[in-house]
Amino acid sequence: MSIKLVVFDMDGLLLNDNYSVTAYTKSVMQKLINKDVEIVLCTGRSISYCYQYIEELNLNSYIVVANAAQIWYVSKKLLDQYLMVTYLIESIWDHGHVNNFFMMLASANLKQINFSKAQLLVG
């Protein structure tokens, strides 16, 4: 059986501590591409953050972003997305607020946001 697809998490695997891709990693990825293996990047980050790496690595498949909430073609066309409903977000926010958790939200339209529930409901 031959390998058809390899998925790379970005932080801590694809990217080193300097948020760059090493020459060795690039060479391994190129060898996979040369064998017709599809390379997919997967991350909790947004498409806007990740696209520079897609270009740098000359990838031509998909990218899974926002903790798998969105799947994009590398052409920046959205393939599919799975959005949370508002009441669930509010419930999670309330639980975090009551328990004094640091919370950070991500949005398809923003890189990342961090603010109070009042701002969340107004915005």
Side-chain angles (χ1 to χ4, degrees), residues 79-104:
L79 172 65
D80 206 351
Q81 66 180 342
Y82 305 93
L83 303 177
M84 292 178 69
V85 292
T86 303
Y87 78 86
L88 185 55
I89 296 169
E90 290 174 353
S91 176
I92 292 169
W93 188 272
D94 288 343
H95 178 75
H97 183 71
V98 166
N99 290 288
N100 202 28
F101 295 153
F102 173 81
M103 295 174 286
M104 184 177 293

Side-chain angles (χ1 to χ4, degrees), residues 7 15 19 25 27 32 40-41 50 52 71 78 81 83 89-91 93 101 108 114 121:
V7 179
L15 303 177
Y19 299 101
T25 300
S27 71
L32 291 169
V40 174
L41 301 184
C50 303
Q52 64 181 327
I71 304 169
L78 183 64
Q81 66 180 342
L83 303 177
I89 296 169
E90 290 174 353
S91 176
W93 188 272
F101 295 153
N114 178 24
L121 297 177

Side-chain angles (χ1 to χ4, degrees), residues 5 16 22 25 30 33 51 57 62-63 69 79 101 106-107 118 123:
L5 172 78
N16 63 17
T22 66
T25 300
Q30 189 57 56
I33 291 168
Y51 204 78
L57 299 166
Y62 307 96
I63 181 164
L79 172 65
F101 295 153
S107 167

Side-chain angles (χ1 to χ4, degrees), residues 61-72:
S61 187
Y62 307 96
I63 181 164
V64 180
V65 298
N67 291 319
Q70 295 181 324
I71 304 169
W72 291 80

